[in-house]
Amino acid sequence: MHQNTTNQAAKIILTGDRPTGPLHLGHYVGSLRNRVRYQRDYRQFIIIADAQALTDNMNDPDKVRRNMIEVALDYLAVGIDPTLSTIFIQSQVPELAELSFYYLNLVTVARLERNPTVKEEIRQRGFERDLPAGFLTYPASQAADITAFKASLVPVGADQVPMIEQTNEIVRRLNFIAGREVLVETAALVPEVSRLPGIDGKAKMSKSLNNAINLSATADEVTAAVKKIYTDPLHLRVEDPGHIEGNVAFTYLDAFDRDQTGLQEMKAHYQRGGLGDSVVKKRLEACLQDLLTPMRTRREEFSKDRAYVMELLKQGTQKAREVAARTTDEVKAALGLSYF
Ligand code: TRP
């Protein structure tokens, strides 16, 4: 058997999402597609970050609880294979909270306040003086999630890159204090096109903006969304030349069309004039139905046996806990916190 030598980084992924709502095409493009692709080459752990979700949902913990299994179903639906990837629940791995407790002393409040992701999320939520301390400090908990598994890679959307940077700062400080490499530095895996606009043409697809196509959308919901999709407001008559830039139908085709050559021809035709939006939308609808239909089928299969899904999560959590406990012991020992 081939063993990892000490200076050869193990190929481990730790990644995940907060269960606050259904996952949509934006998640698919930003991270899920990579998670499905990389699960064969890496040992992948996927965290359902329910505890992190509570940092801004303490007023409605039941929403988080309900979405936990829905997000698990989304993962299984997109093709996360439970024999290749380990899906687990954050709140059931207390070692992660324990690690965070130490990491909080390796970051300053000023550094947390400067974290661009946290800053933007605080702005969006309008917290001002009512900012929960747990929300401000969740980068330390995310660093615990990643480092507990000694992950070398984290497939996420571009918005999460500052989390990875902050994680590596914690890793370097802890290793410096320990005088040896206890924790492993990590890297974000961000796709070239990592942000999908909403169907309304707004910069980002998001549940709160109500401009998303969920991975669990029904065929009729997909049809309705494509009908509404923002195209080129200046393209009034079929014979007019149309614009590609900012045209969401084409942005989605770029992301999902398997026949990119055919797509280039269609784009040229559209720009020349003589091609109506309805033809473009028909092509897009076919692409999206092709993508989402197998996901819907898999979701229905797994939905029928929720007890099985819960058992998968239970086993995944058990496995995750063993790994996290080992790292937590190492970190505590490195800090001199092992007495007996
Ligand atoms: N912050 C991520 C989100 O907004 C969720 C998350 C929690 C995560 N822990 C993680 C992502 C560790 C990657 C790695 O959905």
Side-chain angles (χ1 to χ4, degrees), residues 155-216:
V156 278
D159 64 305
Q160 293 291 303
V161 170
M163 293 296 157
I164 308 302
E165 287 167 3
Q166 192 147 21
T167 296
N168 284 334
E169 289 171 29
I170 291 173
V171 167
R172 287 190 289 266
R173 277 204 70 188
L174 191 281
N175 287 347
F176 178 77
I177 293 161
R180 61 191 167 81
E181 206 186 79
V182 180
L183 299 178
V184 174
E185 284 197 46
T186 194
L189 176 68
V190 179
E192 233 170 276
V193 180
S194 100
R195 174 174 284 202
L196 208 63
I199 60 167
D200 56 359
K202 291 218 176 84
K204 198 178 172 184
M205 180 177 284
S206 111
K207 173 179 51 91
S208 51
L209 294 174
N210 211 1
N211 62 8
I213 299 177
N214 293 336
L215 298 177
S216 54

Side-chain angles (χ1 to χ4, degrees), residues 285-324:
E285 158 137 36
C287 279
L288 292 182
Q289 300 288 13
D290 277 0
L291 177 73
L292 295 175
T293 303
M295 293 186 197
R296 199 180 306 120
T297 309
R298 263 198 301 271
R299 192 176 222 283
E300 278 160 13
E301 284 300 306
F302 284 110
S303 286
K304 275 188 225 148
D305 196 354
R306 293 191 173 221
Y308 168 73
V309 175
M310 287 311 296
E311 185 55 34
L312 273 181
L313 293 173
K314 189 176 172 190
Q315 285 172 16
T317 300
Q318 228 157 34
K319 201 160 130 193
R321 233 192 129 170
E322 284 161 24
V323 179

Side-chain angles (χ1 to χ4, degrees), residues 178-297:
R180 61 191 167 81
E181 206 186 79
V182 180
L183 299 178
V184 174
E185 284 197 46
T186 194
L189 176 68
V190 179
E192 233 170 276
V193 180
S194 100
R195 174 174 284 202
L196 208 63
I199 60 167
D200 56 359
K202 291 218 176 84
K204 198 178 172 184
M205 180 177 284
S206 111
K207 173 179 51 91
S208 51
L209 294 174
N210 211 1
N211 62 8
I213 299 177
N214 293 336
L215 298 177
S216 54
T218 63
D220 287 347
E221 284 167 347
V222 173
T223 306
V226 171
K227 273 212 183 88
K228 279 199 290 193
I229 222 162
Y230 180 87
T231 56
D232 173 10
L234 302 174
H235 189 227
L236 299 174
R237 290 169 306 180
V238 172
E239 49 294 7
D240 290 339
H243 296 83
I244 303 291
E245 312 76 42
N247 186 323
V248 179
F250 281 107
T251 309
Y252 287 7
L253 282 166
D254 282 338
F256 303 114
D257 199 326
R258 289 170 189 275
D259 173 15
Q260 288 287 320
T261 319
L263 175 59
Q264 293 318 315
E265 284 164 18
M266 178 174 265
K267 280 183 179 173
H269 191 176
Y270 191 78
Q271 287 173 304
R272 266 196 321 271
L275 189 69
D277 277 6
S278 62
V279 184
V280 180
K281 287 190 172 187
K282 207 170 152 199
R283 185 184 181 102
L284 176 61
E285 158 137 36
C287 279
L288 292 182
Q289 300 288 13
D290 277 0
L291 177 73
L292 295 175
T293 303
M295 293 186 197
R296 199 180 306 120
T297 309

Side-chain angles (χ1 to χ4, degrees), residues 14-19 27 35 47-49 52 90 117 121 138 141-143 145-146 154-156 159-160 163-164:
L14 180 289
T15 185
D17 298 277
R18 283 177 255 187
H27 295 107
R35 295 172 189 174
I47 186 168
I48 303 180
Q52 188 183 98
Q90 185 183 38
T117 307
E121 288 176 339
Y138 89 70
S141 122
Q142 191 153 339
D145 301 340
I146 296 167
V154 187
V156 278
D159 64 305
Q160 293 291 303
M163 293 296 157
I164 308 302

